[in-house]
Amino acid sequence: MEQTFIMIKPDGVQRGLVGEIISRFEKKGFTLKGLKFITVDRPFAEKHYADLSAKPFFNGLVEYIISGPVVAMVWEGKHVVTTGRKIIGATNPAESAPGTIRGDYAIDIGRNVIHGSDAVESAQKEIALWFPEGIAEWQSSLH
Ligand code: CMP
């Protein structure tokens, strides 16, 4: 079954959006497979965003991600990568539709509340990075 990596960023945690965000994924029917509340250091954040290291906003992005605890999660379900991105909304909150997480809760691309893997391959890489101990198997009765 397909899995994706979802991270509630420091602004999402600080603003008390953890429950609301988890609720949206649960109500859609996806299954929570892993969750950790964690503050990451600079080398770890740089590794997570390695593909963006040449971007002018890279340092600011890393500073933002290490500025406080995040909630790192693995969600599972049919088409969860693409559907998860739809639930999250466009990267730039100025373009994300109302009803999406960013459309409802963010206005600044540099404080966009949540991250979701953009493809199955990046999901596998990100899950391996954030959950090196592996993901325990359990079967939801929903599937
Ligand atoms: P995310 O889904 O985590 O993937 C890469 C992140 O880079 C993105 O969300 C934004 O937080 C950040 N990002 C992308 N473009 C910009 C930008 N122009 N300025 C600042 N941050 C950006």
Short mmCIF file of all heavy atoms in Angstrom, two decimals, residues 69-127:
data_model
loop_
_atom_site.label_atom_id
_atom_site.label_comp_id
_atom_site.label_asym_id
_atom_site.label_seq_id
_atom_site.Cartn_x
_atom_site.Cartn_y
_atom_site.Cartn_z
N PRO A 69 9.87 22.38 17.39
CA PRO A 69 9.47 20.99 17.10
C PRO A 69 8.54 20.89 15.89
O PRO A 69 7.75 21.81 15.62
CB PRO A 69 8.78 20.54 18.38
CG PRO A 69 8.42 21.78 19.10
CD PRO A 69 9.40 22.83 18.71
N VAL A 70 8.65 19.77 15.20
CA VAL A 70 7.76 19.45 14.09
C VAL A 70 7.07 18.12 14.42
O VAL A 70 7.51 17.39 15.31
CB VAL A 70 8.53 19.31 12.75
CG1 VAL A 70 9.27 20.60 12.41
CG2 VAL A 70 9.50 18.13 12.76
N VAL A 71 5.99 17.84 13.69
CA VAL A 71 5.34 16.53 13.82
C VAL A 71 5.56 15.79 12.50
O VAL A 71 5.08 16.22 11.45
CB VAL A 71 3.84 16.66 14.15
CG1 VAL A 71 3.18 15.28 14.14
CG2 VAL A 71 3.66 17.32 15.51
N ALA A 72 6.36 14.73 12.57
CA ALA A 72 6.70 13.93 11.38
C ALA A 72 5.80 12.70 11.35
O ALA A 72 5.68 12.00 12.36
CB ALA A 72 8.17 13.52 11.45
N MET A 73 5.18 12.46 10.20
CA MET A 73 4.21 11.37 10.13
C MET A 73 4.33 10.56 8.85
O MET A 73 4.76 11.08 7.82
CB MET A 73 2.77 11.94 10.16
CG MET A 73 2.44 12.69 11.43
SD MET A 73 0.78 13.41 11.37
CE MET A 73 1.07 14.83 10.33
N VAL A 74 3.92 9.32 8.94
CA VAL A 74 3.75 8.47 7.77
C VAL A 74 2.26 8.13 7.67
O VAL A 74 1.66 7.66 8.64
CB VAL A 74 4.57 7.17 7.87
CG1 VAL A 74 4.30 6.27 6.67
CG2 VAL A 74 6.05 7.50 7.98
N TRP A 75 1.68 8.43 6.50
CA TRP A 75 0.28 8.11 6.24
C TRP A 75 0.20 7.14 5.09
O TRP A 75 1.00 7.21 4.15
CB TRP A 75 -0.51 9.38 5.91
CG TRP A 75 -0.77 10.24 7.12
CD1 TRP A 75 0.03 11.24 7.60
CD2 TRP A 75 -1.88 10.16 8.01
NE1 TRP A 75 -0.51 11.79 8.73
CE2 TRP A 75 -1.69 11.14 9.01
CE3 TRP A 75 -3.02 9.36 8.07
CZ2 TRP A 75 -2.61 11.34 10.05
CZ3 TRP A 75 -3.94 9.56 9.10
CH2 TRP A 75 -3.73 10.54 10.08
N GLU A 76 -0.77 6.24 5.17
CA GLU A 76 -0.89 5.18 4.16
C GLU A 76 -2.30 5.16 3.57
O GLU A 76 -3.28 5.45 4.26
CB GLU A 76 -0.61 3.83 4.83
CG GLU A 76 -0.59 2.67 3.85
CD GLU A 76 -0.20 1.38 4.55
OE1 GLU A 76 1.00 1.13 4.73
OE2 GLU A 76 -1.11 0.62 4.94
N GLY A 77 -2.37 4.79 2.29
CA GLY A 77 -3.67 4.61 1.64
C GLY A 77 -3.53 4.72 0.14
O GLY A 77 -2.49 5.12 -0.38
N LYS A 78 -4.60 4.41 -0.56
CA LYS A 78 -4.60 4.44 -2.02
C LYS A 78 -4.35 5.88 -2.51
O LYS A 78 -5.04 6.80 -2.07
CB LYS A 78 -5.96 3.94 -2.52
CG LYS A 78 -5.98 3.56 -3.97
CD LYS A 78 -7.39 3.22 -4.42
CE LYS A 78 -7.85 1.85 -3.97
NZ LYS A 78 -9.22 1.53 -4.47
N HIS A 79 -3.35 6.05 -3.37
CA HIS A 79 -3.00 7.36 -3.95
C HIS A 79 -2.71 8.42 -2.87
O HIS A 79 -3.00 9.61 -3.07
CB HIS A 79 -4.11 7.87 -4.86
CG HIS A 79 -4.52 6.91 -5.93
ND1 HIS A 79 -3.61 6.31 -6.79
CD2 HIS A 79 -5.73 6.40 -6.28
CE1 HIS A 79 -4.26 5.50 -7.62
NE2 HIS A 79 -5.54 5.52 -7.32
N VAL A 80 -2.18 8.01 -1.74
CA VAL A 80 -2.02 8.96 -0.62
C VAL A 80 -1.02 10.08 -0.95
O VAL A 80 -1.15 11.18 -0.43
CB VAL A 80 -1.62 8.22 0.69
CG1 VAL A 80 -0.22 7.64 0.60
CG2 VAL A 80 -1.76 9.13 1.90
N VAL A 81 -0.05 9.82 -1.85
CA VAL A 81 0.91 10.88 -2.17
C VAL A 81 0.21 12.04 -2.88
O VAL A 81 0.28 13.19 -2.43
CB VAL A 81 2.09 10.35 -3.02
CG1 VAL A 81 2.97 11.50 -3.50
CG2 VAL A 81 2.92 9.35 -2.22
N THR A 82 -0.49 11.75 -3.96
CA THR A 82 -1.14 12.83 -4.72
C THR A 82 -2.36 13.39 -3.99
O THR A 82 -2.57 14.60 -3.98
CB THR A 82 -1.56 12.38 -6.13
OG1 THR A 82 -2.26 11.14 -6.01
CG2 THR A 82 -0.38 12.20 -7.04
N THR A 83 -3.12 12.52 -3.36
CA THR A 83 -4.29 13.01 -2.63
C THR A 83 -3.85 13.83 -1.41
O THR A 83 -4.45 14.87 -1.09
CB THR A 83 -5.21 11.85 -2.20
OG1 THR A 83 -5.53 11.07 -3.35
CG2 THR A 83 -6.49 12.36 -1.57
N GLY A 84 -2.77 13.39 -0.77
CA GLY A 84 -2.23 14.14 0.36
C GLY A 84 -1.82 15.54 -0.06
O GLY A 84 -2.07 16.52 0.64
N ARG A 85 -1.21 15.65 -1.24
CA ARG A 85 -0.81 16.98 -1.76
C ARG A 85 -2.04 17.84 -2.03
O ARG A 85 -2.00 19.06 -1.88
CB ARG A 85 0.01 16.82 -3.04
CG ARG A 85 1.32 16.05 -2.85
CD ARG A 85 2.48 16.91 -2.51
NE ARG A 85 2.86 17.79 -3.59
CZ ARG A 85 3.93 18.58 -3.55
NH1 ARG A 85 4.68 18.60 -2.45
NH2 ARG A 85 4.24 19.36 -4.54
N LYS A 86 -3.13 17.21 -2.45
CA LYS A 86 -4.37 17.98 -2.68
C LYS A 86 -4.96 18.47 -1.37
O LYS A 86 -5.46 19.59 -1.28
CB LYS A 86 -5.40 17.12 -3.42
CG LYS A 86 -5.06 16.90 -4.88
CD LYS A 86 -6.13 16.07 -5.56
CE LYS A 86 -5.68 15.67 -6.97
NZ LYS A 86 -6.38 14.49 -7.46
N ILE A 87 -4.91 17.63 -0.34
CA ILE A 87 -5.41 18.04 0.99
C ILE A 87 -4.58 19.22 1.51
O ILE A 87 -5.10 20.15 2.11
CB ILE A 87 -5.35 16.85 1.98
CG1 ILE A 87 -6.37 15.78 1.57
CG2 ILE A 87 -5.57 17.30 3.41
CD1 ILE A 87 -6.24 14.46 2.35
N ILE A 88 -3.27 19.16 1.24
CA ILE A 88 -2.35 20.21 1.72
C ILE A 88 -2.54 21.51 0.94
O ILE A 88 -2.53 22.59 1.51
CB ILE A 88 -0.89 19.71 1.59
CG1 ILE A 88 -0.63 18.63 2.65
CG2 ILE A 88 0.09 20.86 1.72
CD1 ILE A 88 0.70 17.92 2.48
N GLY A 89 -2.70 21.42 -0.37
CA GLY A 89 -2.83 22.62 -1.21
C GLY A 89 -1.52 23.06 -1.81
O GLY A 89 -0.45 22.56 -1.45
N ALA A 90 -1.58 24.01 -2.72
CA ALA A 90 -0.39 24.48 -3.44
C ALA A 90 0.66 25.02 -2.48
O ALA A 90 0.33 25.57 -1.42
CB ALA A 90 -0.79 25.56 -4.44
N THR A 91 1.95 24.87 -2.87
CA THR A 91 3.08 25.29 -2.02
C THR A 91 2.94 26.74 -1.57
O THR A 91 3.16 27.06 -0.41
CB THR A 91 4.41 25.10 -2.77
OG1 THR A 91 4.50 23.74 -3.16
CG2 THR A 91 5.60 25.45 -1.89
N ASN A 92 2.58 27.60 -2.54
CA ASN A 92 2.41 29.01 -2.21
C ASN A 92 0.98 29.25 -1.73
O ASN A 92 0.03 29.12 -2.51
CB ASN A 92 2.69 29.86 -3.45
CG ASN A 92 2.69 31.34 -3.12
OD1 ASN A 92 2.27 31.75 -2.02
ND2 ASN A 92 3.15 32.15 -4.05
N PRO A 93 0.81 29.61 -0.45
CA PRO A 93 -0.56 29.80 0.08
C PRO A 93 -1.38 30.81 -0.71
O PRO A 93 -2.61 30.77 -0.67
CB PRO A 93 -0.31 30.26 1.52
CG PRO A 93 1.03 29.70 1.86
CD PRO A 93 1.83 29.77 0.59
N ALA A 94 -0.69 31.71 -1.45
CA ALA A 94 -1.44 32.67 -2.28
C ALA A 94 -2.19 31.95 -3.39
O ALA A 94 -3.14 32.49 -3.96
CB ALA A 94 -0.49 33.71 -2.86
N GLU A 95 -1.75 30.73 -3.72
CA GLU A 95 -2.37 29.98 -4.81
C GLU A 95 -3.14 28.75 -4.32
O GLU A 95 -3.75 28.04 -5.12
CB GLU A 95 -1.28 29.51 -5.80
CG GLU A 95 -0.74 30.66 -6.64
CD GLU A 95 0.66 30.38 -7.15
OE1 GLU A 95 1.08 29.21 -7.16
OE2 GLU A 95 1.33 31.37 -7.53
N SER A 96 -3.08 28.48 -3.03
CA SER A 96 -3.76 27.27 -2.54
C SER A 96 -5.24 27.56 -2.28
O SER A 96 -5.60 28.59 -1.72
CB SER A 96 -3.06 26.69 -1.31
OG SER A 96 -2.73 27.71 -0.40
N ALA A 97 -6.08 26.63 -2.73
CA ALA A 97 -7.52 26.85 -2.69
C ALA A 97 -8.05 26.80 -1.25
O ALA A 97 -7.57 26.00 -0.44
CB ALA A 97 -8.21 25.79 -3.53
N PRO A 98 -9.07 27.61 -0.96
CA PRO A 98 -9.78 27.46 0.31
C PRO A 98 -10.28 26.02 0.44
O PRO A 98 -10.67 25.41 -0.55
CB PRO A 98 -10.95 28.44 0.18
CG PRO A 98 -10.50 29.44 -0.83
CD PRO A 98 -9.63 28.69 -1.79
N GLY A 99 -10.20 25.49 1.65
CA GLY A 99 -10.58 24.09 1.84
C GLY A 99 -9.36 23.19 1.95
O GLY A 99 -9.44 22.09 2.47
N THR A 100 -8.22 23.68 1.42
CA THR A 100 -6.97 22.95 1.62
C THR A 100 -6.33 23.48 2.92
O THR A 100 -6.70 24.54 3.42
CB THR A 100 -5.99 23.17 0.45
OG1 THR A 100 -5.60 24.55 0.41
CG2 THR A 100 -6.63 22.78 -0.88
N ILE A 101 -5.36 22.72 3.44
CA ILE A 101 -4.74 23.14 4.70
C ILE A 101 -4.04 24.49 4.54
O ILE A 101 -4.25 25.41 5.33
CB ILE A 101 -3.77 22.04 5.20
CG1 ILE A 101 -4.56 20.80 5.62
CG2 ILE A 101 -2.91 22.56 6.36
CD1 ILE A 101 -3.73 19.56 5.86
N ARG A 102 -3.22 24.61 3.49
CA ARG A 102 -2.53 25.90 3.31
C ARG A 102 -3.52 26.99 2.90
O ARG A 102 -3.36 28.16 3.28
CB ARG A 102 -1.43 25.75 2.26
CG ARG A 102 -0.21 24.96 2.78
CD ARG A 102 0.73 24.65 1.65
NE ARG A 102 1.93 23.95 2.06
CZ ARG A 102 2.64 23.19 1.23
NH1 ARG A 102 2.26 23.03 -0.03
NH2 ARG A 102 3.73 22.59 1.66
N GLY A 103 -4.53 26.63 2.11
CA GLY A 103 -5.53 27.61 1.70
C GLY A 103 -6.30 28.16 2.89
O GLY A 103 -6.70 29.33 2.91
N ASP A 104 -6.47 27.34 3.90
CA ASP A 104 -7.23 27.76 5.08
C ASP A 104 -6.37 28.40 6.17
O ASP A 104 -6.86 29.23 6.94
CB ASP A 104 -7.96 26.56 5.70
CG ASP A 104 -9.13 26.09 4.85
OD1 ASP A 104 -9.50 26.80 3.89
OD2 ASP A 104 -9.66 25.00 5.13
N TYR A 105 -5.09 27.97 6.25
CA TYR A 105 -4.30 28.36 7.43
C TYR A 105 -2.99 29.09 7.15
O TYR A 105 -2.24 29.35 8.10
CB TYR A 105 -3.99 27.11 8.28
CG TYR A 105 -5.22 26.42 8.77
CD1 TYR A 105 -5.52 25.12 8.41
CD2 TYR A 105 -6.11 27.09 9.62
CE1 TYR A 105 -6.66 24.49 8.85
CE2 TYR A 105 -7.27 26.48 10.06
CZ TYR A 105 -7.54 25.18 9.68
OH TYR A 105 -8.68 24.56 10.11
N ALA A 106 -2.66 29.40 5.90
CA ALA A 106 -1.37 30.04 5.64
C ALA A 106 -1.51 31.17 4.64
O ALA A 106 -2.40 31.14 3.78
CB ALA A 106 -0.38 29.00 5.12
N ILE A 107 -0.60 32.16 4.75
CA ILE A 107 -0.57 33.25 3.78
C ILE A 107 0.82 33.47 3.20
O ILE A 107 0.97 34.17 2.21
CB ILE A 107 -1.08 34.60 4.38
CG1 ILE A 107 -0.40 34.90 5.71
CG2 ILE A 107 -2.59 34.57 4.55
CD1 ILE A 107 -0.78 36.26 6.29
N ASP A 108 1.85 32.84 3.78
CA ASP A 108 3.23 33.12 3.40
C ASP A 108 3.92 31.83 2.96
O ASP A 108 3.91 30.83 3.70
CB ASP A 108 3.93 33.73 4.62
CG ASP A 108 5.33 34.24 4.33
OD1 ASP A 108 5.95 33.77 3.35
OD2 ASP A 108 5.81 35.08 5.11
N ILE A 109 4.55 31.83 1.79
CA ILE A 109 5.22 30.62 1.29
C ILE A 109 6.34 30.17 2.23
O ILE A 109 6.65 28.99 2.32
CB ILE A 109 5.74 30.83 -0.15
CG1 ILE A 109 6.13 29.48 -0.78
CG2 ILE A 109 6.91 31.81 -0.18
CD1 ILE A 109 6.37 29.53 -2.27
N GLY A 110 6.91 31.13 2.96
CA GLY A 110 7.99 30.81 3.90
C GLY A 110 7.47 30.30 5.24
O GLY A 110 8.25 29.96 6.13
N ARG A 111 6.16 30.27 5.42
CA ARG A 111 5.53 29.76 6.68
C ARG A 111 4.28 29.00 6.27
O ARG A 111 3.17 29.37 6.64
CB ARG A 111 5.17 30.93 7.62
CG ARG A 111 6.36 31.67 8.20
CD ARG A 111 7.11 30.85 9.25
NE ARG A 111 8.25 31.55 9.82
CZ ARG A 111 9.46 31.58 9.30
NH1 ARG A 111 9.72 30.97 8.15
NH2 ARG A 111 10.44 32.23 9.90
N ASN A 112 4.49 27.92 5.52
CA ASN A 112 3.33 27.28 4.89
C ASN A 112 2.83 26.03 5.63
O ASN A 112 2.22 25.15 5.04
CB ASN A 112 3.59 27.02 3.41
CG ASN A 112 4.72 26.04 3.16
OD1 ASN A 112 5.40 25.62 4.09
ND2 ASN A 112 4.91 25.66 1.91
N VAL A 113 3.14 25.94 6.94
CA VAL A 113 2.47 25.04 7.90
C VAL A 113 2.81 23.55 7.78
O VAL A 113 2.94 22.86 8.77
CB VAL A 113 0.92 25.21 7.85
CG1 VAL A 113 0.20 24.18 8.71
CG2 VAL A 113 0.53 26.61 8.25
N ILE A 114 2.95 23.06 6.54
CA ILE A 114 3.01 21.61 6.36
C ILE A 114 3.81 21.24 5.13
O ILE A 114 3.88 22.01 4.16
CB ILE A 114 1.56 21.05 6.29
CG1 ILE A 114 1.53 19.52 6.23
CG2 ILE A 114 0.77 21.67 5.14
CD1 ILE A 114 0.14 18.92 6.46
N HIS A 115 4.44 20.07 5.18
CA HIS A 115 5.16 19.50 4.02
C HIS A 115 4.57 18.13 3.70
O HIS A 115 4.21 17.38 4.60
CB HIS A 115 6.64 19.33 4.37
CG HIS A 115 7.38 18.43 3.42
ND1 HIS A 115 7.90 18.89 2.23
CD2 HIS A 115 7.65 17.11 3.47
CE1 HIS A 115 8.46 17.86 1.58
NE2 HIS A 115 8.33 16.77 2.33
N GLY A 116 4.47 17.84 2.42
CA GLY A 116 4.09 16.49 1.99
C GLY A 116 4.95 16.05 0.82
O GLY A 116 5.26 16.86 -0.06
N SER A 117 5.34 14.80 0.80
CA SER A 117 6.18 14.28 -0.28
C SER A 117 5.53 14.54 -1.64
O SER A 117 4.31 14.44 -1.78
CB SER A 117 6.39 12.78 -0.12
OG SER A 117 6.86 12.48 1.17
N ASP A 118 6.37 14.85 -2.65
CA ASP A 118 5.80 15.19 -3.97
C ASP A 118 5.71 14.01 -4.93
O ASP A 118 5.16 14.14 -6.02
CB ASP A 118 6.59 16.34 -4.61
CG ASP A 118 8.05 16.00 -4.87
OD1 ASP A 118 8.46 14.84 -4.64
OD2 ASP A 118 8.79 16.90 -5.30
N ALA A 119 6.24 12.84 -4.55
CA ALA A 119 6.19 11.66 -5.42
C ALA A 119 6.43 10.42 -4.57
O ALA A 119 6.95 10.53 -3.44
CB ALA A 119 7.27 11.75 -6.50
N VAL A 120 6.06 9.26 -5.09
CA VAL A 120 6.24 8.02 -4.34
C VAL A 120 7.71 7.80 -3.99
O VAL A 120 8.03 7.41 -2.86
CB VAL A 120 5.67 6.82 -5.15
CG1 VAL A 120 6.03 5.50 -4.50
CG2 VAL A 120 4.16 6.95 -5.29
N GLU A 121 8.61 8.10 -4.95
CA GLU A 121 10.05 7.88 -4.69
C GLU A 121 10.55 8.81 -3.60
O GLU A 121 11.31 8.39 -2.72
CB GLU A 121 10.88 8.13 -5.97
CG GLU A 121 10.52 7.24 -7.15
CD GLU A 121 9.17 7.61 -7.79
OE1 GLU A 121 8.89 8.82 -7.94
OE2 GLU A 121 8.39 6.68 -8.09
N SER A 122 10.15 10.09 -3.62
CA SER A 122 10.61 10.99 -2.56
C SER A 122 9.98 10.60 -1.22
O SER A 122 10.61 10.75 -0.17
CB SER A 122 10.37 12.46 -2.90
OG SER A 122 9.16 12.65 -3.54
N ALA A 123 8.76 10.09 -1.25
CA ALA A 123 8.13 9.62 -0.01
C ALA A 123 8.98 8.51 0.61
O ALA A 123 9.24 8.52 1.82
CB ALA A 123 6.71 9.12 -0.29
N GLN A 124 9.42 7.57 -0.22
CA GLN A 124 10.22 6.46 0.31
C GLN A 124 11.53 6.97 0.92
O GLN A 124 11.96 6.54 1.99
CB GLN A 124 10.50 5.44 -0.80
CG GLN A 124 9.26 4.63 -1.15
CD GLN A 124 9.35 3.87 -2.46
OE1 GLN A 124 10.30 4.05 -3.23
NE2 GLN A 124 8.36 3.03 -2.74
N LYS A 125 12.16 7.94 0.21
CA LYS A 125 13.42 8.51 0.71
C LYS A 125 13.20 9.25 2.03
O LYS A 125 13.96 9.13 2.98
CB LYS A 125 13.99 9.51 -0.32
CG LYS A 125 15.04 8.88 -1.22
CD LYS A 125 15.42 9.78 -2.37
CE LYS A 125 16.05 11.11 -2.00
NZ LYS A 125 16.38 11.91 -3.20
N GLU A 126 12.13 10.05 2.09
CA GLU A 126 11.86 10.85 3.29
C GLU A 126 11.46 9.97 4.47
O GLU A 126 11.88 10.22 5.61
CB GLU A 126 10.78 11.90 2.97
CG GLU A 126 11.31 12.96 2.01
CD GLU A 126 10.25 13.92 1.46
OE1 GLU A 126 9.06 13.77 1.79
OE2 GLU A 126 10.63 14.81 0.70
N ILE A 127 10.68 8.93 4.21
CA ILE A 127 10.29 8.01 5.30
C ILE A 127 11.54 7.33 5.86
O ILE A 127 11.71 7.21 7.08
CB ILE A 127 9.24 6.99 4.81
CG1 ILE A 127 7.91 7.69 4.54
CG2 ILE A 127 9.06 5.86 5.84
CD1 ILE A 127 6.88 6.86 3.78
#
